[in-house]
Coordinates of all heavy atoms in Angstrom, one line a residue:
K37 N -16.2 46.1 2.6 CA -15.4 45.0 2.0 C -16.2 44.2 1.0 O -15.8 44.0 -0.1 CB -14.9 44.0 3.0 CG -13.8 44.5 3.9 CD -13.4 43.4 4.9 CE -14.5 43.0 5.9 NZ -15.1 44.0 6.8
S38 N -17.4 43.8 1.4 CA -18.2 42.9 0.5 C -18.7 43.7 -0.7 O -18.8 43.2 -1.8 CB -19.3 42.3 1.3 OG -18.8 41.5 2.4
D61 N -15.6 34.5 4.9 CA -16.2 34.9 6.2 C -17.6 34.5 6.2 O -18.5 35.3 6.5 CB -16.0 36.4 6.3 CG -16.4 36.8 7.7 OD1 -16.4 36.0 8.7 OD2 -16.8 38.0 7.8
L64 N -20.5 35.6 8.8 CA -21.2 36.9 8.8 C -21.4 37.2 7.3 O -21.6 38.4 6.9 CB -20.3 37.9 9.4 CG -19.8 37.7 10.8 CD1 -18.5 38.5 11.1 CD2 -20.9 38.0 11.8
N66 N -22.3 38.1 3.6 CA -23.4 38.7 2.9 C -23.2 38.8 1.4 O -23.9 39.5 0.7 CB -23.8 40.0 3.5 CG -22.5 40.9 3.7 OD1 -21.5 40.6 3.1 ND2 -22.6 41.9 4.5
D139 N -12.9 37.9 0.0 CA -13.6 38.8 1.0 C -13.3 38.2 2.4 O -14.0 37.3 2.8 CB -15.1 38.9 0.6 CG -15.9 39.8 1.5 OD1 -15.2 40.5 2.4 OD2 -17.1 39.9 1.3
T140 N -12.4 38.8 3.1 CA -12.0 38.2 4.4 C -12.9 38.8 5.4 O -13.7 39.8 5.2 CB -10.6 38.6 4.8 OG1 -10.5 40.0 5.2 CG2 -9.6 38.4 3.7
Ligands
MG2 MG1 -18.7 41.7 4.4

Side-chain angles (χ1 to χ4, degrees):
K37 289 179 298 297
S38 301
D61 186 26
L64 307 158
N66 48 17
D139 181 2
T140 75

